[in-house]
Amino acid sequence: MWKYFTKENMEEYLLSNQLIDSKKKKDSLKRLYSISNNIHNNYKIFWIPKRDGTKRMIEEPLKNLKWIQKKIMQNILNERKISPYAKAFQNGISLKENVSIHMNKEIILKLDIKDFFHSITSSMVYEIVFLPSIYPEPIRVLLTNLCTLDNKLPQGSPTSPKISNLILRDFDYEVAHFCDLLQVDYTRYADDLTFSGSFNPKEIIHFVRKELQKRHFCLNEKKIRILKSHNRQVVTGIVINEKMNVSKKYRREIRQKMYYIKKYGIESFYQYQKKEKSFITKEQLLGKINFVLQITPDNLEFQKYRDFLKNKF
């Protein structure tokens, strides 16, 4: 199909998707390929703490690469369809939609894909996302280079969420078909897989483990959770036994931080955190508060926290 695709055609394709500045075509093309060929120099790498005490590596693209990736996302990847079972990283779909499917169920099974983004290799992106039936060979190579780092999907790139959903599209359909036979509901929120209904968890765990291995992913055996209806059922941080709410522990941690900020100020709070070897910015704290309000929008206490942070600092 792309046999007669010339260098000029490729340049026009890049221009049509606004990956480069069309006013200075030659210089922009050189810059685009320079970034692609020196991809390591276009990332800032840092670490953030996780709930379990370990740290997660974040690979954040620098300004020029991030702009290119956003254009790839907007003008190339956005039109590609993902499965309806993937609930993360989509405009118009909230956490509430993901968890509402699993409310008032006898059993909830929670599974996790180990090292999710970094398990997605450059070759997977090249073969599954930038298909030869859609993109000519030089474009496939270029787009793969621009969206990957060290032969894997970077955690921090604007394109990584959509790419991960495209990679797992067939997996979602396979798992959903199996679950339909058992009358089990299934959703996936990034690397979190949730199943609900009346079923034998071992049967689904075995199937999911096998399907993941086929695609070179691993089930995180340490994060398998089976939640019965008489116990607290939490899905993606939301308690869903009778009504949706964020866990008491999550809300209590926010209250403690807000108490300190109100009493001593934001700068003293930052200094205190450094001594405790844990750090959260005002923006991150505001994100946590907005998460609570997304689930319980009428929560007056957390509305006051949000307004305090916005107006005082």
Side-chain angles (χ1 to χ4, degrees):
M1 178 179 178
W2 303 109
K3 184 177 179 181
Y4 302 106
F5 194 79
T6 66
K7 181 181 177 182
E8 289 73 23
N9 294 144
M10 185 172 69
E11 290 177 2
E12 289 304 316
Y13 178 84
L14 296 174
L15 286 169
S16 69
N17 285 290
Q18 300 177 352
L19 301 188
I20 53 177
D21 183 356
S22 59
K23 294 177 183 178
K24 299 178 181 179
K25 186 165 69 171
K26 288 186 178 180
D27 289 343
S28 297
L29 277 169
K30 286 181 181 178
R31 189 170 71 250
L32 184 65
Y33 281 99
S34 175
I35 290 172
S36 174
N37 294 330
N38 297 278
I39 204 73
H40 285 90
N41 297 330
N42 287 277
Y43 278 93
K44 178 178 72 173
I45 297 175
F46 57 95
W47 302 81
I48 60 172
K50 295 168 65 175
R51 292 180 188 175
D52 59 6
T54 60
K55 292 183 177 181
R56 175 183 285 112
M57 183 170 71
I58 302 296
E59 300 117 323
E60 182 182 1
L62 299 183
K63 184 179 178 180
N64 288 336
L65 177 59
K66 184 177 284 189
W67 190 89
I68 292 168
Q69 290 175 343
K70 285 182 177 179
K71 290 299 179 182
I72 292 173
M73 180 66 197
Q74 293 169 5
N75 300 330
I76 296 177
L77 293 177
N78 261 349
E79 63 186 25
R80 300 285 302 282
K81 291 185 178 180
I82 63 173
S83 84
Y85 308 99
K87 302 299 182 181
F89 316 129
Q90 292 199 76
N91 292 330
I93 295 182
S94 68
L95 269 173
K96 292 178 75 171
E97 181 172 333
N98 180 55
V99 301
S100 62
I101 296 169
H102 305 291
M103 289 188 69
N104 302 314
K105 298 294 178 62
E106 181 183 342
I107 296 173
I108 289 178
L109 170 65
K110 294 166 56 178
L111 302 178
D112 179 88
I113 302 174
K114 189 176 180 180
D115 201 17
F116 182 47
F117 277 6
H118 287 175
S119 295
I120 298 175
T121 64
S122 298
S123 61
M124 293 163 76
V125 176
Y126 175 79
E127 295 291 343
I128 300 172
V129 178
F130 300 119
L131 297 165
S133 59
I134 302 176
Y135 311 98
E137 181 63 17
I139 297 293
R140 295 178 70 201
V141 173
L142 177 63
L143 294 177
T144 300
N145 287 344
L146 290 169
C147 294
T148 58
L149 175 69
D150 290 331
N151 193 39
K152 59 183 182 289
L153 207 58
Q155 188 156 292
S157 164
T159 53
S160 291
K162 177 75 176 205
I163 286 174
S164 70
N165 277 336
L166 289 169
I167 294 288
L168 286 182
R169 186 174 185 272
D170 289 346
F171 168 83
D172 285 338
Y173 279 112
E174 287 289 338
V175 172
H177 176 69
F178 181 77
C179 287
D180 284 344
L181 298 176
L182 301 175
Q183 295 185 314
V184 171
D185 287 312
Y186 161 67
T187 60
R188 180 178 58 80
Y189 198 89
D191 55 352
D192 292 324
L193 284 62
T194 306
F195 306 83
S196 62
S198 300
F199 58 96
N200 180 358
K202 289 183 179 179
E203 197 172 357
I204 288 181
I205 293 170
H206 174 74
F207 182 83
V208 169
R209 184 186 291 116
K210 182 182 65 175
E211 290 300 315
L212 285 174
Q213 287 173 350
K214 280 183 188 177
R215 295 165 172 83
H216 307 289
F217 290 95
C218 290
L219 182 66
N220 192 332
E221 304 290 344
K222 294 180 180 179
K223 289 191 175 181
I224 296 174
R225 300 288 184 271
I226 301 170
L227 311 173
K228 302 291 182 65
S229 58
H230 57 272
N231 294 323
R232 191 178 68 146
Q233 294 177 321
V234 181
V235 176
T236 53
I238 303 172
V239 182
I240 61 168
N241 288 74
E242 294 179 2
K243 63 177 184 178
M244 292 186 200
N245 206 347
V246 179
S247 70
K248 289 181 180 179
K249 181 182 177 182
Y250 192 94
R251 286 176 284 152
R252 184 170 62 248
E253 288 175 351
I254 293 174
R255 286 191 186 101
Q256 290 171 345
K257 289 175 172 58
M258 288 303 302
Y259 172 81
Y260 196 100
I261 290 171
K262 283 185 171 184
K263 189 168 184 178
Y264 300 107
I266 193 77
E267 294 303 325
S268 294
F269 174 66
Y270 285 160
Q271 292 300 320
Y272 169 76
Q273 286 188 106
K274 288 179 181 178
K275 292 178 183 178
E276 296 295 310
K277 296 182 178 180
S278 65
F279 197 84
I280 182 171
T281 65
K282 183 197 85 171
E283 289 74 18
Q284 289 170 327
L285 181 57
L286 191 58
K288 287 178 175 286
I289 292 167
N290 285 329
F291 171 67
V292 174
L293 291 173
Q294 181 183 346
I295 308 307
T296 53
D298 297 328
N299 190 317
L300 294 177
E301 177 190 6
F302 282 79
Q303 286 178 9
K304 290 177 181 178
Y305 291 158
R306 177 195 60 197
D307 295 341
F308 181 85
L309 286 179
K310 283 186 173 181
N311 298 328
K312 293 290 183 179
F313 304 104

